[in-house]
Amino acid sequence: MPSTPLTSVADLTAAVLRGDYGPDPESLHAVGAFWVRQSTQFPGTDTKYRNYYLVLRVESGFGGCCVERDQLDSVIAEELSGSSVAQLLRDERTPVRIAALDAYLSLTRPHREAEQAQVFMLPHGTPLQRAKARDQAIAGLLDIAPGMRVGLIGVVNPLVDAIRARGGICLPCDFNMQRTADGTEVARDMAPVLAQADLVIATGMTLSNGSFDEILAAVRLRDIPLIVYAQTGSAIVPQFLGHGVAAVSAEPFPFSQFSADPTPIHLYRDAGADARAAA
């Protein structure tokens, strides 16, 4: 493990390349590369979620990165298999680096061996039932007091509902949505949200668009909690617990929307943050 605090994804990547987290990345290879296009629209709504994933397999580890529609060409899945993890961690394309880092850490730091992780099984059910169960678990990771302003970077409507059900005031921010299901305007610029929020909930996709480091720096400067719900980078974000991240809902590949059967998410809390809050 690195001896200095992590302040960015680049710090973590450099530590992995040094061998601080396990085997030399030069000795490991991406044996599989996948490109997934997926959309979701719940009955009775006019919101369609469109997701595009790059997934890499390194031995028994999988790494996933959700990207914007035109961020990568799907042919990338045909090109990356066979590359060493070290080569992928140095790739000029951010989503490739994130998927490779996630795959490496899912191999060397699996959730099943993490002492801080609590397994929560999403129930068998419809996509909406499973999404609501997931988002209730995420909203419950930290206490949301009535009137608390909760910045939501990456809007999922059931999570908006879960925040409001706890009395929180949701401050939504998203590149791809203008309004939430109940008509609340969604900001495109996250700077005002980060400046006003008492607590921030962000999606792992902030890793793929490069905004995670900015969010991390903002919450550390203001000393406010950051919760991350991560399909993208589910093995990456837990490494930042105690370094700006207070809690994580980590959902590794294969993701919950690809199954109706019970599937796990892994809930992490920074024990140090809980102790500081109680002091």
Side-chain angles (χ1 to χ4, degrees):
M1 294 288 290
S3 57
T4 56
L6 294 174
T7 61
S8 68
V9 177
D11 285 348
L12 179 58
T13 303
V16 167
L17 286 167
R18 287 195 305 268
D20 292 355
Y21 283 78
D24 182 356
E26 198 68 62
S27 68
L28 297 171
H29 294 77
V31 296
F34 312 84
W35 181 261
V36 182
R37 298 166 64 99
Q38 177 255 340
S39 68
T40 298
Q41 183 169 343
F42 296 123
T45 73
D46 57 7
T47 300
K48 187 183 294 289
Y49 301 100
R50 295 176 174 86
N51 295 321
Y52 309 87
Y53 296 99
L54 171 65
V55 180
L56 298 176
R57 180 169 188 172
V58 177
E59 295 188 352
S60 60
F62 285 85
C65 185
C66 188
V67 300
E68 299 290 349
R69 181 175 182 175
D70 299 320
Q71 198 171 356
L72 292 175
D73 192 303
S74 62
V75 74
I76 196 170
E78 302 172 30
E79 299 173 346
L80 297 181
S81 60
S83 302
S84 74
V85 173
Q87 179 183 354
L88 296 172
L89 289 175
R90 296 186 176 103
D91 195 281
E92 63 181 10
R93 295 162 293 192
T94 299
V96 175
R97 298 195 303 273
I98 293 300
L101 183 61
D102 192 39
Y104 178 91
L105 291 169
S106 74
L107 174 66
T108 63
R109 296 289 188 276
H111 298 298
R112 64 182 176 276
E113 297 178 6
E115 294 182 0
Q116 288 175 288
Q118 175 187 356
V119 178
F120 176 81
M121 296 300 294
L122 298 178
H124 174 274
T126 67
L128 185 57
Q129 288 170 334
R130 285 164 59 79
K132 285 185 174 180
R134 179 197 64 198
D135 295 338
Q136 288 288 341
I138 294 168
L141 274 170
L142 288 180
D143 291 334
I144 298 175
M148 180 177 285
R149 295 165 297 183
V150 181
L152 182 60
I153 313 297
V155 174
V156 179
N157 281 307
L159 187 51
V160 174
D161 295 339
I163 292 168
R164 289 183 174 151
R166 286 165 169 76
I169 299 169
C170 186
L171 307 177
C173 179
D174 198 296
F175 288 137
N176 298 311
M177 189 180 297
Q178 295 182 331
R179 294 187 179 277
T180 63
D182 65 0
T184 301
E185 185 175 353
V186 176
R188 287 183 58 86
D189 183 1
M190 68 179 183
V193 172
L194 293 174
Q196 298 173 53
D198 303 306
L199 178 154
V200 175
I201 303 177
T203 173
M205 198 172 172
T206 55
L207 290 161
S208 64
N209 65 26
S211 61
F212 177 80
D213 289 350
E214 183 179 345
I215 296 169
L216 191 68
V219 299
R220 292 179 66 174
L221 180 65
R222 296 189 56 220
D223 194 25
I224 60 174
L226 170 63
I227 304 171
V228 182
Y229 61 106
Q231 288 185 338
T232 294
S234 69
I236 295 173
V237 182
Q239 312 310 317
F240 288 89
L241 282 168
H243 301 289
V245 173
V248 186
S249 171
E251 186 180 328
F253 186 85
F255 306 133
S256 60
Q257 61 265 42
F258 300 142
S259 175
D261 292 327
T263 53
I265 59 176
H266 304 269
L267 305 177
Y268 292 77
R269 294 176 185 265
D270 173 21
D274 290 341
R276 290 190 296 273

